[in-house]
Amino acid sequence: MSPATVDMAPKQPVRFLLVGVGPHAKRTFVKHLRDLKAEDRGEMVAAIDIAAKKSEIEEYATENLPDVELVFVPFFRETMPEEVQNQLTEVVKRLEVDCVIVSTEPECHKPYGLWAIGLGLHVIMDKPITTRRDACNSIKQAAGIADDYNELLHAYEELQTRKTTFFLINSHRRYHPGYYGTADFISDIRKKTGCPVTSLISTHCDGQWRLPSEVVEQHYHPFKYGYGKVSHSGYHFLDTAYRFFKAGWNPEKRPDEIEIVSTFVRPNDFMGAFTNEEHSRILGDRGYDESCKYTADELRWLMEDMGEMDAMLQITFKQRGQTMAVAQLNLFHTGFARRSWVDQGATPDLYKGCGRVKHEAHEIRSGPFQTVVIDSRQANDKHDRSKPSTAELGSDNHFEIQTWRNCNILGEQEPLKVYTVSDLDRRYNSKLPGIYAENTKRGILWEALDFLDGSKGVDDLASNLPDHSVPASLMSAAYISHVRRTAGLNPITHIDIAYSSQCENGVARATVRAADLIQQPSSPSERSMPITPAVSNSNIQTLQAPGGLGEFSKAFEASGAVDYTVPIINAEDGIQVQAIH
């Protein structure tokens, strides 16, 4: 088979198709593509969203996407319907699209990715690569996260035998000077001493406070579908941890096995820590009681199998049976927030609004030679309206790196150096105006253009799909570990690692160990429910009540059923359960 060759450089400007016009895309891709159009380097020619949002997207597009063709499709998850494939393929060919940006719900990422690969297109995909409904409750669904990645990777690698394209994952810390600068510090110690990273502690807190009714009903960054924080921003830190450890590896010192143990805090756990009654006491004079749609018992029932709000992951890297490094990742939705109100208004900013305040910290140790500390903490939730935006603690742009180094061994003058955002700008010639963390998100578009104009090769891409095998498998294994724990099984979940070559740049390929994919004997909800008759196809009836809990209760009583499974709640069908007779 002849080697793949890069096609002729595409027409200028590069033509992008955006899938998903949600809060994240509006704040990042729409804004940055507008800048590229002004520079005559790229433009958005079409945008796709679901038909249910047609009026909302059309209203937004009038002002923000005036020259963009809008395409509306039905909602789907696992497989793209044939009629949708035909519809979108016609758009791609007619508008001569070069690159598809997938920024829709992660449950829908895989079918869009496979479709774009099938057309030989370049792809930019938001993190996480995929997730699965009920990943918190089913080993099959949890393992499906890794399966989805591998299916995309196989399709991408097959395409590369015929044509060289990129499939970039928008894990934007790979484009942040603070993070690739830290990788440089780690590599420097490895080269000078031979010591890899030996331990890491990472903490990220969204600083959000969603009220109970919002937890039950919210569709954006949801918990209601059986996944949560790990599938939201959590992927960033699985990926960042991998990149930090990778910077310290060499062919003689790199893991062949990873163990992961996860502990999740789910909505019912949080409601035990801070009850519905306590919400009422704190926020009652601000309209909480009037806004809360559910009783404490109804909330407990509805939240039973929801996804994780907070997660703590313990990760062990092993080589030939010996522990070579350990990591702890603290991934929190819950923490210091600025919300003090109940009513979010008719069109709340669910991405950066709602009182969200980000805190992030990392400590990376390379034996007795170096500790790198990264600290980024905001005090203000009104990011776009706080002026000036400085790099001081608590400001929108607070970001600091400290390097603590064994200066006598390393032949250096000082043990401590501190790098601010301005220092990083000068060090990497990467000055970015505005909110620093927001502007690094344009990096993936700039890298795509560098590839398309021939100034960067596929092996030089910072975030191409083949280099995401380890973080995608870690995400899958984190959910598997949780399901095993709740089923009373050993929560340690294993990932085996192989490398594409023995050289330093060999790509890591991760595989979740098959022996750990044991289906749990019962779901958490089944163990907490009253004893019920044996369930068979002959005594199960599907109950559906679009009107909500009140209508469901009437339907349940009228059915003569004695019990029910955990409810499925969605916007189209209301509440649906399997009633047991």
Side-chain angles (χ1 to χ4, degrees):
M1 185 175 295
S2 61
T5 57
V6 180
D7 286 2
M8 294 294 290
K11 66 205 82 57
Q12 292 290 336
V14 177
R15 300 169 72 81
F16 292 91
L17 181 152
L18 175 65
V19 180
V21 191
H24 170 68
K26 291 174 182 176
R27 192 178 180 95
T28 56
F29 291 121
V30 171
K31 179 176 71 173
H32 299 322
L33 287 170
R34 188 183 300 125
D35 294 340
L36 286 179
K37 184 174 183 179
E39 299 168 10
D40 200 33
R41 298 184 67 201
E43 63 177 327
M44 187 195 310
V45 296
I48 301 169
D49 216 305
I50 59 174
K53 292 187 175 182
K54 186 173 187 291
S55 59
E56 173 190 333
I57 300 301
E58 286 179 337
E59 181 179 356
Y60 172 81
T62 300
E63 180 177 350
N64 297 281
L65 304 171
D67 302 319
V68 175
E69 180 172 328
L70 302 179
V71 182
F72 297 98
V73 299
F75 179 78
F76 57 87
R77 290 200 301 271
E78 293 294 320
T79 304
M80 183 181 289
E82 184 177 356
E83 62 272 19
V84 175
Q85 287 190 45
N86 295 336
Q87 177 188 9
L88 300 186
T89 299
E90 186 278 329
V91 171
V92 164
K93 292 180 177 179
R94 174 167 49 82
L95 297 180
E96 299 181 290
V97 169
D98 300 307
C99 178
V100 173
I101 300 173
V102 182
S103 188
T104 186
E105 289 296 326
E107 296 177 71
C108 313
H109 281 186
K110 184 181 75 169
Y112 279 108
L114 291 173
W115 163 74
I117 290 171
L119 294 178
L121 297 170
H122 302 284
V123 180
I124 294 172
M125 180 175 282
D126 266 338
K127 60 75 197 166
I129 298 168
T130 70
T131 194
R132 291 286 191 99
R133 291 200 178 194
D134 279 323
C136 267
N137 305 308
S138 162
I139 283 184
K140 179 181 178 181
Q141 291 298 89
I145 295 169
D147 293 341
D148 289 344
Y149 167 80
N150 288 322
E151 186 175 351
L152 285 166
L153 180 64
H154 176 76
Y156 173 73
E157 290 181 330
E158 193 281 327
L159 173 62
Q160 302 316 291
T161 64
R162 297 177 280 109
K163 177 183 181 182
T164 300
T165 64
F166 61 72
F167 194 122
L168 297 175
I169 303 303
N170 191 24
S171 188
H172 59 76
R173 281 165 179 77
R174 292 195 181 205
Y175 300 96
H176 191 302
Y179 293 90
Y180 58 72
T182 296
D184 287 347
F185 295 136
I186 294 167
S187 296
D188 181 59
I189 291 296
R190 171 178 58 83
K191 292 171 184 176
K192 289 178 177 177
T193 70
C195 188
V197 172
T198 50
S199 68
L200 174 146
I201 300 174
S202 289
T203 299
H204 180 266
C205 182
D206 283 323
Q208 291 200 51
W209 183 9
R210 285 192 200 171
L211 302 185
S213 294
E214 295 166 352
V215 171
V216 169
E217 297 177 354
Q218 190 162 309
H219 290 272
Y220 185 75
H221 278 191
F223 303 112
K224 62 188 291 182
Y225 298 129
Y227 61 84
K229 170 67 177 181
V230 175
S231 293
H232 301 161
S233 57
Y235 185 84
H236 280 306
F237 305 98
L238 294 166
D239 184 50
T240 298
Y242 159 66
R243 296 286 290 182
F244 287 158
F245 279 105
K246 180 184 177 183
W249 294 344
N250 62 35
E252 290 73 41
K253 293 181 183 177
R254 58 187 182 187
D256 52 35
E257 176 187 356
I258 300 173
E259 294 178 349
I260 183 168
V261 176
S262 61
T263 302
F264 288 173
V265 177
R266 301 170 78 176
N268 266 342
D269 301 319
F270 176 72
M271 293 300 293
F274 187 62
T275 66
N276 195 43
E277 292 76 12
E278 288 163 335
H279 277 80
S280 177
R281 187 168 71 246
I282 298 295
L283 296 171
D285 62 345
R286 302 169 193 243
Y288 176 80
D289 294 336
E290 293 78 10
S291 71
C292 187
K293 302 177 183 179
Y294 309 103
T295 67
D297 287 341
E298 289 170 338
L299 287 170
R300 187 160 45 250
W301 180 68
L302 290 167
M303 291 177 174
E304 182 70 39
D305 274 6
M306 286 191 179
E308 72 287 358
M309 297 181 79
D310 303 324
M312 295 185 71
L313 313 179
Q314 292 181 306
I315 304 172
T316 304
F317 295 85
K318 291 186 170 183
Q319 184 180 37
R320 294 186 291 274
Q322 288 189 316
T323 297
M324 62 179 295
V326 293
Q328 178 166 312
L329 273 58
N330 307 312
L331 308 175
F332 302 143
H333 167 87
T334 310
F336 162 66
R338 291 295 302 273
R339 183 174 185 176
S340 58
W341 58 89
V342 172
D343 186 4
Q344 298 275 46
T347 57
D349 177 2
L350 301 177
Y351 180 52
K352 288 291 187 183
C354 307
R356 179 180 177 181
V357 185
K358 184 192 74 172
H359 281 193
E360 180 176 342
H362 308 267
E363 294 186 13
I364 310 106
R365 294 175 172 83
S366 298
F369 304 108
Q370 176 176 260
T371 296
V372 180
V373 177
I374 301 175
D375 201 30
S376 177
R377 299 179 190 271
Q378 298 170 340
N380 184 15
D381 62 316
K382 302 293 191 293
H383 300 157
D384 292 336
R385 286 172 280 174
S386 61
K387 303 294 181 183
S389 187
T390 71
E392 295 179 359
L393 178 65
S395 76
D396 304 342
N397 262 344
H398 175 244
F399 188 92
E400 180 180 276
I401 296 178
Q402 306 162 15
T403 59
W404 303 78
R405 291 164 69 101
N406 190 330
C407 56
N408 292 336
I409 291 290
L410 298 171
E412 299 172 356
Q413 292 184 344
E414 299 293 336
L416 170 64
K417 290 184 179 180
V418 179
Y419 299 86
T420 65
V421 169
S422 298
D423 296 327
L424 294 167
D425 287 337
R426 287 190 293 271
R427 185 182 179 96
Y428 291 100
N429 192 27
S430 58
K431 189 170 185 179
L432 297 169
I435 300 174
Y436 203 80
E438 289 299 312
N439 283 294
T440 59
K441 295 176 183 179
R442 74 175 68 180
I444 196 165
L445 291 172
W446 268 243
E447 180 165 74
L449 295 177
D450 287 345
F451 176 88
L452 291 170
D453 69 17
S455 59
K456 180 173 283 192
V458 70
D459 292 334
D460 301 318
L461 296 172
S463 194
N464 211 26
L465 183 67
D467 193 39
H468 283 263
S469 180
V470 171
S473 297
L474 283 170
M475 178 177 164
S476 182
Y479 283 109
I480 293 169
S481 174
H482 167 76
V483 176
R484 290 178 61 84
R485 177 192 293 276
T486 57
L489 302 172
N490 185 340
I492 299 176
T493 302
H494 302 81
I495 299 171
D496 294 313
I497 308 293
Y499 298 88
S500 61
S501 72
Q502 292 303 310
C503 69
E504 187 170 314
N505 294 325
V507 177
R509 294 293 169 87
T511 305
V512 179
R513 195 170 293 174
D516 293 334
L517 306 182
I518 301 171
Q519 182 62 45
Q520 71 273 31
S522 61
S523 73
S525 58
E526 287 171 334
R527 291 194 303 280
S528 64
M529 285 166 53
I531 296 174
T532 64
V535 178
S536 67
N537 289 336
S538 63
N539 67 349
I540 291 182
Q541 171 193 4
T542 298
L543 294 181
Q544 193 161 298
L549 276 174
E551 293 301 316
F552 165 73
S553 297
K554 295 177 185 177
F556 178 71
E557 291 173 3
S559 72
V562 296
D563 212 335
Y564 47 80
T565 60
V566 172
I568 300 169
I569 311 167
N570 58 58
E572 293 80 15
D573 301 324
I575 297 175
Q576 177 179 309
V577 302
Q578 299 295 307
I580 304 168
H581 291 267

